[in-house]
Amino acid sequence: MKNYLLLLLPVVALLASGCPIGLDQPLGKIGTEKIDKQLVGKWHSTSAETEVQRVSISKRDDHSYKAKVLERGEMYSLETDELTGWVTTVNEKNFVFFKPDGEEKYYHYCYWWDGGSTLISCDLALLDGGVDAVTSTESLRDQVARSMTMEEWGKETTEWNKE
């Protein structure tokens, strides 16, 4: 079975249990990669500690999603519940990144499937050079690729079930 990892934000920060970091750069080139249709639907977190408890992800077009937070967690910090999302791949792992409506930061998550209608996500951890090493999409992709080789990367995950 092919592993799919992801970075999501509110929607997946929504999906993730840690605190997502807003970055100025997207992990992929917006408008170039087709969406993963498996992400479309309503999802709920199995953890009471996630920033987002329930989220709806729908197709905006062939290359982007519309995400709406349906239920916020206690630590939810965005000003809006509506986001636009995109997918990309780094080293054969799947990522999703979201930009909240009215904001300039991108939030990233890695995702994969454990079978059926269960989605697993983790925050985008930059374990090599950290946020300070990110100055462009290319440097972000490099930092993610380097971080993915480290043992700690992807250890804290969140499980999401499709409604």
Side-chain angles (χ1 to χ4, degrees):
M1 178 172 92
K2 187 175 181 181
N3 276 347
Y4 297 94
L5 291 177
L6 111 62
L7 301 167
L8 303 181
L9 142 57
V11 59
V12 181
L14 315 180
L15 305 179
S17 59
C19 288
I21 298 172
L23 298 172
D24 292 332
Q25 292 78 22
L27 186 59
K29 189 172 179 183
I30 292 175
T32 62
E33 298 181 67
K34 296 228 182 216
I35 64 169
D36 181 344
K37 293 179 183 175
Q38 293 182 90
L39 287 175
V40 172
K42 289 183 182 176
W43 297 90
H44 69 272
S45 171
T46 61
S47 170
E49 298 177 16
T50 57
E51 289 191 17
V52 173
Q53 292 295 302
R54 292 181 60 237
V55 64
S56 173
I57 302 174
S58 59
K59 175 182 173 180
R60 177 166 289 194
D61 58 40
D62 288 343
H63 300 99
S64 67
Y65 301 100
K66 175 182 174 184
K68 180 163 180 61
V69 175
L70 302 175
E71 183 179 341
R72 294 178 174 193
E74 287 184 29
M75 300 300 291
Y76 190 81
S77 61
L78 297 177
E79 296 294 321
T80 183
D81 291 332
E82 297 187 12
L83 308 101
T84 301
W86 303 268
V87 293
T88 192
T89 304
V90 176
N91 290 353
E92 299 181 13
K93 305 295 182 195
N94 290 334
F95 292 84
V96 62
F97 55 98
F98 296 93
K99 184 175 178 188
D101 290 359
E103 295 189 25
E104 295 303 315
K105 300 287 184 185
Y106 294 90
Y107 297 83
H108 306 79
Y109 301 88
C110 186
Y111 71 96
W112 63 97
W113 308 102
D114 80 345
S117 60
T118 301
L119 171 75
I120 308 295
S121 70
C122 69
D123 285 339
L124 176 65
L126 300 175
L127 304 175
D128 182 43
V131 175
D132 292 338
V134 176
T135 59
S136 65
T137 294
E138 293 74 24
S139 65
L140 175 56
R141 293 178 70 82
D142 181 60
Q143 285 299 308
V144 170
R146 288 175 189 231
S147 296
M148 288 169 59
T149 66
M150 299 179 181
E151 188 175 326
E152 311 83 47
W153 195 87
K155 295 290 184 186
E156 294 183 29
T157 62
T158 300
E159 185 175 300
W160 299 82
N161 291 318
K162 206 166 203 176
E163 296 182 3

